[in-house]
Amino acid sequence: MLGTKYVRSRLGRAGAREPLLNRIDISDRTLKWLFLLPSVAILAFLAIYPFIQGIWMSFHEWPLAADTRTWVGLANYEALVESDRFLGSARATVVFTGVSVTLELILGIALALYLRSLSSNWRPIFRTIFILPMVMTPIATGLMWRLLLNGQIGVVNWMLINFLGMSPPSWTSSPTVAMATVIMIDIWQWTPLIVMIVYAGLLSIPETMYEAARVDGAPRLAVFRHITLPQIKYMIGIAVVFRLMRSFRSFDIIWLVTNGGPGTATEILNIYLYRVAFVNLQGGQAAALGIILLVVTIAITMGIIRGLGMQ
Amino acid sequence: MSMRNLPDIGSTVTFATENPWAALATAIKYGAGIIVALWMLFPIYWMVTVSIQPQEVIMNWPPRFLFFTPVIENYVTLFTEQNFGRYLFNSFVVAAGAVSISIVIGVPAAYSLSRMDVYGGHHIGFWILSTRMIPPLSIMVPLFIFFSDVGLNRSLVGLMIVHFLITLPMIIWIVKGFIDELPQSLEESAMVDGCNRIQAFREIVVPLVMPGIAAAAFISFIFSWNNFLLALVLTGGGTRTAPLVIQSSMGYLSINWGMLGAAGTVTVLPVVLISLALRNHLVEGLTMGAVKQ
């Protein structure tokens, strides 16, 4: 279908115009770098320059509101490690990311298996439904849930009282419940991503493997453990990597729903960093925090990628 | 990979009528499915519903789920008094600008990484991927200072430049995946026929991976459109993007829920339309080509 004929027809069109670029003869050796250079330059400016500048800043007392900067060595890092607020936000990050990613993984695998078990009439409908939450603008997600959980007009509270006869929890005003609330919203938004990735993995399992198991009369759980799970292990790994990558940059939903509160109960590292930098205007300390966050994030994601042999 | 070829595992409808336990299992199965679907859809439905209810209905107990007279006053307020169109336009300019420039410079980069045997290309490719892992706030402090120094703070151009961090790695990786799958013989025969590398790239490769480029463009558009944090740091006043305006209108003491619902609805509408049109490429995009569907 696509062969010399196709190539000729396209070239015929090109020959008629002969744009300048086509007539200049650039060797492949130069061209491959020319093609790559603009992208690498932009990404270097956006990723490497701030990293180096961030390290430099983190050794200074660098108020964002004034022009003074004083070399303080490692004092910013020392102050952070000793500060309860930093440790608290690190703990909140571990809880938030750990609990939400774990629950999303369990739920996501279950729903992917569910999707696979549906008849071909229902499958596309459910697949479309699962797409919606994960593409929602996170700020809109936060807005939806604030509307749903609102103390006066929240429809979830109304349902709990009228259908279940429960007294509604204080969604955002008690520390533990607030953390559970933001985790619940995160699960709403991101479980579908895991469903989609794992489902793509499930589709690639050859049907003959299941037929063989059925002939042997293997119980369902054994089929899952010995056929399904080994086949989707790699996809689960990819799902974890991409989920963690996104989780480490969580900000929008928490910012909108609890604002890190009550107190500092849901103040994950990103929220704390934003406050240090753009509320307290402590540039040096914020830079130190940024470097810690960056190094830890890259180390964890790279570690998983290496472990999976994805690279 | 077509889903239609797969037999239905576990859908035992004929069986179910004969065996009460199987009938119960089927009922539970579809019941659970409906609950999950409601859980996914209800928050979205509720936001849209509230956007077409007058404030009195929203504030009244019990909430009205289905039967009420829809009004458009919230949308009218949103676009006239709040001037939301302007902020949607800001979002659009930033996303469309970042995406189109990323395509112009990212597609050649993808080609180079895929085909041209760059020294250390594997590492460069992986480094490009790793820039997507960076938590944006960790680099925003130095960038904020730099942008303030050069006067790009509070400008859409500045925000657009930072959005390359979202769009560029994504476009390079997705398009690279598409080029990797293209048979190399096509370009080779073109080059035997006397065209040079640039011609082969422009006239053979680009048209053939156009569907991939379009998918990559729309997916990265969604991510740029949805972004809140970069705009929070870098914009203000008239250069705010739509998510930022939603956030700042929530701070007031008495929240105009109907209008906010309308703002949320118009903000997610383009994203929903794009992702439904792209649903077969979406996961590929979200995982930067690591998962093929």
Side-chain angles (χ1 to χ4, degrees):
Chain A
M1 183 180 76
L2 296 167
T4 340
K5 212 170 179 186
Y6 174 84
V7 172
R8 290 252 160 76
S9 71
R10 302 234 36 124
L11 288 182
R13 207 162 66 72
R17 278 184 290 144
E18 274 295 323
L20 180 68
L21 259 178
N22 292 355
R23 278 180 276 132
I24 304 171
D25 199 32
I26 306 172
S27 75
D28 273 12
R29 272 173 81 190
T30 325
L31 192 66
K32 63 187 177 192
W33 292 110
L34 271 184
F35 271 8
L36 214 45
L37 189 69
S39 301
V40 170
I42 287 181
L43 289 174
F45 166 69
L46 290 173
I48 296 177
Y49 157 73
F51 179 60
I52 295 166
Q53 172 76 3
I55 293 176
W56 176 246
M57 279 181 75
S58 71
F59 295 134
H60 291 78
E61 174 95 50
W62 193 305
L64 291 180
D67 252 348
T68 57
R69 54 200 69 163
T70 344
W71 177 270
V72 291
L74 288 169
N76 280 324
Y77 291 94
E78 282 162 14
L80 274 177
V81 176
E82 282 161 17
S83 117
D84 284 341
R85 192 139 177 212
F86 168 72
L87 297 175
S89 70
R91 204 177 309 121
T93 309
V94 172
V95 171
F96 174 74
T97 299
V99 175
S100 61
V101 174
T102 310
L103 291 178
E104 283 159 21
L105 205 59
I106 296 168
L107 219 73
I109 295 172
L111 285 174
L113 289 166
Y114 183 76
L115 196 58
R116 171 83 143 81
S117 77
L118 289 175
S119 70
S120 50
N121 295 332
W122 286 97
R123 217 182 270 164
I125 299 173
F126 271 89
R127 200 167 147 247
T128 309
I129 293 172
F130 287 151
I131 283 175
L132 288 175
M134 70 180 178
V135 296
M136 285 290 140
T137 311
I139 282 296
T141 304
L143 165 68
M144 285 172 208
W145 283 95
R146 265 189 72 172
L147 178 63
L148 288 169
L149 303 178
N150 185 284
Q152 286 153 18
I153 61 160
V155 68
V156 171
N157 286 356
W158 184 84
M159 286 181 190
L160 286 179
I161 295 167
N162 285 280
F163 297 157
L164 300 176
M166 280 167 63
S167 62
S170 50
W171 299 105
T172 53
S173 51
S174 127
T176 331
V177 183
M179 181 56 98
T181 302
V182 292
I183 288 174
M184 172 180 80
I185 302 173
D186 196 75
I187 289 174
W188 181 83
Q189 179 138 43
W190 293 112
T191 303
L193 177 65
I194 296 190
V195 177
M196 291 300 174
I197 297 174
V198 175
Y199 179 64
L202 286 175
L203 285 185
S204 66
I205 303 176
E207 192 49 38
T208 48
M209 296 183 81
Y210 285 113
E211 272 158 23
R214 217 170 295 151
V215 170
D216 292 348
R220 279 192 170 196
L221 199 67
V223 173
F224 176 72
R225 267 196 54 194
H226 298 292
I227 299 178
T228 313
L229 207 55
Q231 293 279 321
I232 57 170
K233 227 165 51 185
Y234 181 73
M235 284 300 191
I236 294 176
I238 289 181
V240 171
V241 171
F242 282 91
R243 242 339 263 132
L244 280 180
M245 264 165 66
R246 296 211 63 82
S247 188
F248 287 133
R249 57 175 62 193
S250 303
F251 183 86
D252 314 16
I253 292 173
I254 297 182
W255 187 253
L256 199 63
V257 175
T258 64
N259 215 295
T264 55
T266 54
E267 189 175 73
I268 59 168
L269 280 169
N270 275 330
I271 307 254
Y272 179 51
L273 172 47
Y274 182 85
R275 291 236 169 88
V276 174
F278 301 107
V279 179
N280 303 348
L281 301 175
Q282 294 168 315
Q285 187 149 38
L289 196 48
I291 297 299
I292 295 175
L293 187 62
L294 182 69
V295 169
V296 171
T297 305
I298 297 279
I300 291 176
T301 29
M302 289 293 189
I304 297 175
I305 289 175
R306 287 264 155 77
L308 285 168
M310 270 166 69
Q311 193 187 355
Chain B
M1 231 176 275
S2 162
M3 298 190 288
R4 290 203 188 92
N5 301 335
L6 294 167
D8 307 328
I9 303 158
S11 62
T12 48
V13 182
T14 44
F15 202 64
T17 49
E18 291 156 23
N19 182 337
W21 290 113
L24 185 67
T26 312
I28 290 174
K29 182 177 161 179
Y30 282 92
I34 289 167
I35 291 171
V36 171
L38 279 178
W39 154 256
M40 298 278 177
L41 292 178
F42 186 75
I44 305 169
Y45 169 78
W46 193 245
M47 178 177 74
V48 178
T49 306
V50 161
S51 79
I52 51 173
Q53 285 181 341
Q55 187 80 358
E56 328 60 277
V57 177
I58 299 169
M59 301 310 285
N60 257 349
W61 220 223
R64 305 290 287 269
F65 293 95
L66 288 170
F67 306 107
F68 57 89
T69 323
V71 294
I72 60 156
E73 63 184 41
N74 294 318
Y75 289 88
V76 174
T77 324
L78 183 69
F79 282 99
T80 53
E81 284 170 37
Q82 302 294 318
N83 207 3
F84 198 63
R86 172 179 184 168
Y87 306 114
L88 284 174
F89 181 71
N90 287 347
S91 278
F92 178 79
V93 167
V94 169
V99 168
S100 24
I101 297 171
S102 294
I103 284 179
V104 172
I105 63 177
V107 174
Y111 178 78
S112 177
L113 285 175
S114 171
R115 284 285 203 264
M116 297 185 77
D117 195 28
V118 178
Y119 176 75
H122 182 77
H123 293 289
I124 296 175
F126 199 69
W127 171 72
I128 290 174
L129 180 68
S130 74
T131 59
R132 268 303 277 157
M133 298 172 192
I134 299 173
L137 263 177
S138 66
I139 53 169
M140 276 323 280
V141 180
L143 280 180
F144 173 78
I145 293 176
F146 179 85
F147 277 51
S148 306
D149 287 348
V150 298
L152 280 175
N153 200 358
R154 295 193 161 227
S155 80
L156 291 180
V157 177
L159 186 59
M160 197 190 292
I161 292 173
V162 182
H163 273 225
F164 286 143
L165 205 54
I166 302 170
T167 54
L168 195 51
M170 221 171 213
I171 283 173
I172 294 176
W173 268 80
I174 300 174
V175 174
K176 179 179 172 294
F178 278 90
I179 297 176
D180 285 343
E181 280 173 11
L182 210 64
Q184 200 146 6
S185 55
L186 286 170
E187 295 148 77
E188 276 160 9
S189 62
M191 298 213 287
V192 169
D193 280 3
C195 75
N196 64 26
R197 188 63 97 151
I198 298 177
Q199 256 174 313
F201 167 68
R202 282 191 31 180
E203 297 295 330
I204 311 294
V205 176
V206 170
L208 285 175
V209 294
M210 211 33 129
I213 296 176
F218 280 115
I219 291 165
S220 48
F221 182 91
I222 293 179
F223 276 84
S224 172
W225 178 271
N226 280 352
N227 187 280
F228 164 72
L229 184 55
L230 299 176
L232 178 67
V233 175
L234 288 176
T235 67
T239 60
R240 284 177 298 167
T241 58
L244 199 56
V245 173
I246 294 179
Q247 185 261 166
S248 43
S249 330
M250 295 214 62
Y252 301 141
L253 279 177
S254 73
I255 296 173
N256 186 343
W257 287 108
M259 195 198 72
L260 272 168
T265 305
V266 293
T267 305
V268 298
L269 189 65
V271 174
V272 169
L273 295 179
I274 292 173
S275 50
L276 290 183
L278 275 181
R279 58 186 178 277
N280 294 323
H281 289 297
L282 204 62
V283 176
E284 211 169 322
L286 285 161
T287 58
M288 310 194 55
V291 174
K292 294 264 186 289
Q293 275 194 311

